[in-house]
Amino acid sequence: MFFRMVIRALVRQWKKMLMIAFTVALGSSLATAMLNVMFDVGDKVNQELKTYGANIRVVPQSSSIMADRYGLTSESFLKEEELGRLKTIFWAFNIVDFSPFLDGKSVIQDKNGKKLLDDEVTVTGTWFSHHLALPTGEELDTGMVAMKTWWTVNGEWLSDSDENGCMIGGELAKKTGLKVGDEIELVPPKFGFAQGKEQNNSSAGEKSTFTIRGIFDAGGDEDESLYLNLHASQELFGREGLISSIEVSALTTPDNDLARLAAQDPTALNQMDWDTWYCTAYVSSICYQIQEVISNSVAKAVRQVAESEGAILSKTQLLMLLITILSLIGSALGISNLVTASVMERSKEIGLLKAIGAYDFPISALILTEIIITAIIGGVLGYFAGLLFAQVIGQSVFGSAISIKVTVIPLVAILIFAVTMAGSLPSIRLLLSFKPAEVLHGGH
């Protein structure tokens, strides 16, 4: 009898029930979309931020000490042969790109041997798009092209196989009057400087001729420098197999108190905190693991980038959460208005049920059952609509699909149930206030 009354009520008031289902579906779809995006947004935001540069810099230990203590540079190097080890650390899959650099100074001349500038210019050797065979047996393409996507290039990017080409910064090109296709000569110094002392650098090569393949605009100090293929720069400066630094682009987890404590002194952690820190993709944890595999190195976070990632991620997730909460509040208000209107229309029916002996509880249960059935239908439809909405957000904002999180299903179910109950409470209170005599004789 009870369910017959429920079904007849649903059929008789199908328009209002359809509106309630639509309201629930709207809240459910927004909650589903926002929660799925919120749980997946960490990797998406990190991937987007990776296109704006490296967040970890690796330098030789002695160079780091000299720079930190005395503001000086030291001629010490890392080994190029160890670069593949970066993909053997615990968080190897979080390292998305890396590129080595060898820095030096050189006199720049035209093809006739005339100096184009009185001062030496910075010449940097690097990988542009390098195919690397890893110690694990895997293969990887990495380098500057993937890491410096914001650079604008007039001409073309240099190829790793092109040992006679170079790229020149826009500011340097203006000062020298050089353009794409011009030939230049680079003359390395015969002497290097280490810790303020002059050292013979007779292993440096003689002058070499290069053709400008591209002029780039990086928006920084790089615009006054010149870039070569790494192997070409090693030959020019007599530094075969050596590099000055490594820039690493890694997906990281925003820092918390544990990460900040570990960054200051990892040895201060107890064993449990150590394990948690080491097995979490904090930037300090990844830096520590890089130092374990690269000999005599110091890995440091580029703090401006790392902190920006954490701040942007936290704010993005907070925005998603606020949208979810506001959508559910809106759904609760809509349900409350619709259910209250339904109860008012059925006031005589409810009064008659009370007059023939029905108690408040079964009448309330009747109304709530109708609303819950309607909410389930609306919630299921809203969930699938929300999955579609999440994919639209993923493709339009991040250019990739949002992964479906199974944990969202119970969360949405609980939230929709709570919203439905909250929206129904005012109408239940109104229902309990009905007095049969007053309702049946027009008091309401």
Side-chain angles (χ1 to χ4, degrees):
M1 181 67 179
F2 179 82
F3 286 103
R4 283 179 60 190
M5 293 178 67
V6 170
I7 292 170
R8 289 187 65 183
L10 290 174
V11 172
R12 191 172 65 251
Q13 296 192 93
W14 68 272
K15 290 183 179 180
K16 274 198 172 51
M17 294 305 168
L18 184 63
M19 287 299 297
I20 292 173
F22 177 78
T23 304
V24 172
L26 183 61
S28 175
S29 64
L30 286 172
T32 300
M34 292 301 106
L35 289 173
N36 272 291
V37 173
M38 187 173 71
F39 288 144
D40 198 45
V41 76
D43 286 347
K44 302 297 182 188
V45 170
N46 272 317
Q47 285 282 10
E48 286 293 308
L49 290 171
K50 291 312 126 202
T51 64
Y52 296 100
N55 54 352
I56 295 173
R57 180 175 169 81
V58 187
V59 297
Q61 219 170 50
S62 57
S63 292
S64 176
I65 293 171
M66 292 293 290
D68 290 346
R69 293 186 179 179
Y70 309 110
L72 301 175
T73 58
S74 170
E75 279 207 357
S76 54
F77 301 92
L78 301 172
K79 298 177 181 178
E80 182 186 359
E81 64 185 20
E82 294 185 352
L83 286 168
R85 297 181 184 179
L86 290 170
K87 295 294 284 185
T88 65
I89 67 171
F90 182 84
W91 287 107
F93 289 110
N94 282 51
I95 294 181
V96 292
D97 281 304
F98 60 89
S99 188
F101 297 90
L102 177 63
D103 299 321
K105 295 287 186 178
S106 178
V107 173
I108 183 170
Q109 302 176 166
D110 63 19
K111 60 183 180 181
N112 298 317
K114 179 184 177 182
K115 289 175 65 174
L116 298 177
L117 286 176
D118 292 332
D119 298 328
E120 294 177 338
V121 300
T122 299
V123 178
T124 301
T126 187
W127 288 347
F128 290 89
S129 183
H130 188 77
H131 187 75
L132 180 67
L134 302 174
T136 58
E138 300 172 277
E139 295 183 345
L140 172 74
D141 290 317
T142 187
M144 286 270 287
V145 175
M147 293 180 63
K148 308 290 185 179
T149 55
W150 71 92
W151 282 21
T152 56
V153 178
N154 177 21
E156 61 184 16
W157 281 94
L158 197 62
S159 166
D160 270 35
S161 60
D162 185 358
E163 304 218 350
N164 298 311
C166 68
M167 294 182 70
I168 187 171
E171 291 300 318
L172 182 58
K174 288 179 183 177
K175 290 179 180 179
T176 57
L178 293 169
K179 58 185 181 298
V180 175
D182 287 350
E183 288 188 354
I184 58 171
E185 290 182 345
L186 296 179
V187 185
K190 289 295 183 183
F191 296 93
F193 294 89
Q195 301 182 18
K197 296 181 179 180
E198 190 178 86
Q199 293 183 334
N200 194 341
N201 192 17
S202 58
S203 61
E206 299 299 326
K207 65 181 179 180
S208 300
T209 302
F210 298 92
T211 302
I212 298 175
R213 309 294 188 199
I215 299 174
F216 63 85
D217 181 9
D221 294 338
E222 301 98 326
D223 289 339
E224 296 192 6
S225 62
L226 190 144
Y227 279 76
L228 305 177
N229 174 293
L230 179 61
H231 186 255
S233 69
Q234 289 170 337
E235 285 193 343
L236 180 69
F237 298 117
R239 303 297 187 189
E240 284 75 12
L242 301 178
I243 55 177
S244 306
S245 62
I246 313 166
E247 287 188 4
V248 180
S249 181
L251 301 176
T252 60
T253 298
D255 280 356
N256 56 14
D257 291 339
L258 174 62
R260 284 186 280 271
L261 177 61
Q264 295 174 358
D265 184 11
T267 61
L269 302 178
N270 60 43
Q271 188 60 47
M272 182 177 295
D273 287 342
W274 169 274
D275 291 341
T276 301
W277 169 72
Y278 194 89
C279 297
T280 306
Y282 299 122
V283 67
S284 57
S285 171
I286 294 177
C287 285
Y288 183 86
Q289 292 170 33
I290 289 173
Q291 291 174 184
E292 289 182 316
V293 298
I294 303 295
S295 305
N296 301 314
S297 68
V298 173
K300 294 183 177 181
V302 181
R303 279 295 161 192
Q304 295 92 331
V305 176
E307 290 173 4
S308 295
E309 289 175 2
I312 292 171
L313 179 58
S314 298
K315 289 177 181 178
T316 303
Q317 290 178 324
L318 178 60
L319 175 62
M320 299 292 178
L321 185 61
L322 287 175
I323 292 174
T324 301
I325 292 171
L326 291 174
S327 68
L328 292 174
I329 290 174
S331 294
L333 292 173
I335 291 170
S336 177
N337 290 334
L338 290 167
V339 176
T340 300
S342 175
V343 168
M344 291 294 293
E345 287 182 7
R346 298 170 64 185
S347 59
K348 292 187 181 298
E349 175 189 340
I350 293 169
L352 181 59
L353 288 172
K354 286 188 174 185
I356 61 177
Y359 294 103
D360 287 337
F361 178 76
I363 297 175
S364 301
L366 175 68
I367 300 297
L368 285 176
T369 302
E370 297 169 8
I371 303 306
I372 290 172
I373 291 173
T374 306
I376 290 173
I377 296 171
V380 171
L381 294 175
Y383 174 77
F384 289 105
L387 294 181
L388 179 61
F389 188 28
Q391 300 311 316
V392 171
I393 294 174
Q395 293 295 338
S396 59
V397 177
F398 303 109
S400 61
I402 298 292
S403 57
I404 298 172
K405 307 295 183 182
V406 179
T407 51
V408 169
I409 297 175
L411 278 177
V412 171
I414 293 169
L415 289 172
I416 291 303
F417 178 79
V419 165
T420 302
M421 291 297 100
S424 301
L425 283 179
S427 59
I428 297 300
R429 290 181 61 187
L430 176 64
L431 180 153
L432 296 176
S433 69
F434 284 168
K435 295 180 181 179
E438 294 178 354
V439 171
L440 294 174
H441 287 87
H444 280 269

